[in-house]
Structures are given as structure tokens and as C-alpha cells.
Amino acid sequence: DQQVKQNSPSLSVQEGRISILNCDYTNSMFDYFLWYKKYPAEGPTFLISISSIKDKNEDGRFTVFLNKSAKHLSLHIVPSQPGDSAVYFCVAAIQGAQKLVFGQGTRLTINP
Amino acid sequence: DAGVTQSPTHLIKTRGQQVTLRCSPKSGHDTVSWYQQALGQGPQFIFQYYEEEERQRGNFPDRFSGHQFPNYSSELNVNALLLGDSALYLCASSTPGRLDEKLFFGSGTQLSVL
């Protein structure tokens, strides 16, 4: 059972425009959410996180939005840059638990 | 400051064989988690080690076992390999406390089972 779903396997965006990556989850026990970015031949790296007590968290060009009632979160990247081209994983966790639950990933390509 | 290091980077085995993968955590970290990433999928939690003990385990069979050494490094062992065990195996390290935040991942070991 896929508890974290990223329904778009890939996304292509023009440089300078906004990139929006979406994620849905099914387990209402999740109370902490993260986005990780992965370049080829490298391990995933932490990008941004949000606790379930918030509905928005911003860090520079990156903003994560959480809609708990819809069990939906999204990552906005503005403006998009070529270096943002990577696979983005939506991740959920239960605080105090030891494991992260990953979505399938979305491959983002930023075109010059 | 060395990050998380894993060895080997690539490995080819045949069905039924056994394999051992190794991980050294980031300096200052004492907790190691292992994840399996199949092609086209996100990483899946295998287990986590802290103070040389397995703290939590994901939905993986007993063929998957691990160990943590006093220097915090860790091994992942897989017995009786199946074709479906072919995947990228990722090691992640962290410090106690917010264990669900800012895991630092290694580059992984790509295992191919023929």
C-alpha cells in the first residue's frame, strides 16, 4: 500500500517560472513532512520540512504547503533554475518514529 | 568533514548468494538507517540501528539483517538473494532526538542479482 503518492512521475518547467510538485498521503497519523532532492549517483539530500501544526513553510526559493484536510502537500520553487533539475521525493513521518515513508518521486527538468 | 560513505558502490551477485554492504555514518552521528530503492520507486525503510541494536524494522523478511559496530559503522546483510533484491541500497545517518528530520544519505550501493 502506497501511503505517500506522487502522481506525476515527471515535470518540465521553463527556467524562471514556478515549479509545483504535488503529493498526497493516506495515513492520518503522519504529522511531519519533508521534501528530499536527489541528483544522479548521489544520495537524497534534505530540502525543506513542515510540521502538521503549520500550513506553510518557506525557505528562500522553496515553499511547502500542507492541506491536512485534503491530505495533500505541495512544493513550490520560484524562480526555477537549471540546477533544480533532479528527482524530488515527498516524505512523511510520525514524530518519534524511526522511519521515513517516501513517495515514488517526481523528476523535475528545468529548461533554459 | 566526510559525509556518509558506503561500500562498495556497485555489486553483482547471483541468486542464492549472500551479500554484505557497509556504511560509515557522518562524523558526529550515531544512528544508522538502511533503505532499499527499487527502480522507479522511492526508498523503503529496512531498519535502523542505534547503540548497536536494531530499533525498528520495516516490512522486510528475516533474510535482511544488520549490525552496528562500536564506532557506529553498520553492515547490511542479505541472505539467499532473489532477483527482486536488485536495487539501490541507501544508508542514512542521524543524531538522536529528531530522528525523522534531516537524515544524511550516502550515495548508495547498486546491487544487481542475476
Side-chain angles (χ1 to χ4, degrees):
Chain A
D1 62 334
Q2 191 72 31
Q3 298 186 69
V4 178
K5 299 180 183 179
Q6 295 176 254
N7 292 317
S8 298
S10 62
L11 178 66
S12 185
V13 174
Q14 206 71 24
E15 181 180 1
R17 306 294 287 268
I18 184 172
S19 295
I20 300 176
L21 293 86
N22 293 302
C23 174
D24 298 296
Y25 62 96
T26 58
N27 189 344
S28 57
M29 296 293 292
F30 290 141
D31 58 4
Y32 200 78
F33 303 89
L34 311 92
W35 286 89
Y36 274 77
K37 179 169 73 172
K38 186 178 187 300
Y39 293 117
E42 295 183 12
T45 55
F46 170 80
L47 187 59
I48 192 169
S49 63
I50 187 168
S51 166
S52 61
I53 62 173
K54 295 184 176 180
D55 55 17
K56 176 183 174 181
N57 188 29
E58 192 171 352
D59 183 2
R61 296 187 297 114
F62 302 91
T63 303
V64 56
F65 295 92
L66 174 62
N67 183 333
K68 281 197 304 181
S69 60
K71 294 192 179 67
H72 178 84
L73 64 156
S74 61
L75 174 68
H76 293 206
I77 306 173
V78 182
S80 300
Q81 300 175 353
D84 297 330
S85 296
V87 176
Y88 288 78
F89 290 104
C90 175
V91 185
I94 301 170
Q95 294 197 48
Q98 309 304 320
K99 70 175 187 179
L100 302 181
V101 180
F102 284 73
Q104 309 96 308
T106 296
R107 182 177 300 278
L108 175 64
T109 302
I110 307 301
N111 302 304
Chain B
D1 175 27
V4 179
T5 58
Q6 293 186 242
S7 63
T9 54
H10 295 81
L11 202 52
I12 299 175
K13 292 287 188 177
T14 56
R15 279 182 302 173
Q17 284 189 312
Q18 178 265 344
V19 68
T20 297
L21 310 181
R22 295 177 175 83
C23 172
S24 292
K26 180 178 169 64
S27 177
H29 288 183
D30 56 9
T31 303
V32 173
S33 302
W34 287 93
Y35 286 77
Q36 179 196 65
Q37 185 181 7
L39 191 63
Q41 301 297 315
Q44 276 195 291
F45 177 77
I46 303 175
F47 43 53
Q48 184 182 78
Y49 277 84
Y50 173 65
E51 292 187 340
E52 302 180 46
E53 291 191 1
E54 183 182 295
R55 295 192 73 182
Q56 188 174 351
R57 188 179 185 90
N59 189 25
F60 280 81
D62 292 344
R63 297 187 297 108
F64 290 77
S65 63
H67 187 78
Q68 186 178 35
F69 299 93
N71 67 352
Y72 309 123
S73 67
S74 176
E75 288 182 349
L76 165 65
N77 301 292
V78 187
N79 294 322
L81 284 167
L82 303 174
L83 296 179
D85 295 331
S86 296
L88 178 68
Y89 288 85
L90 293 163
C91 170
S93 72
S94 58
T95 55
R98 294 298 297 275
L99 295 172
D100 52 356
E101 182 181 48
K102 290 188 180 179
L103 288 187
F104 288 80
F105 284 86
S107 299
T109 295
Q110 184 67 53
L111 173 65
S112 298
V113 182
L114 305 179

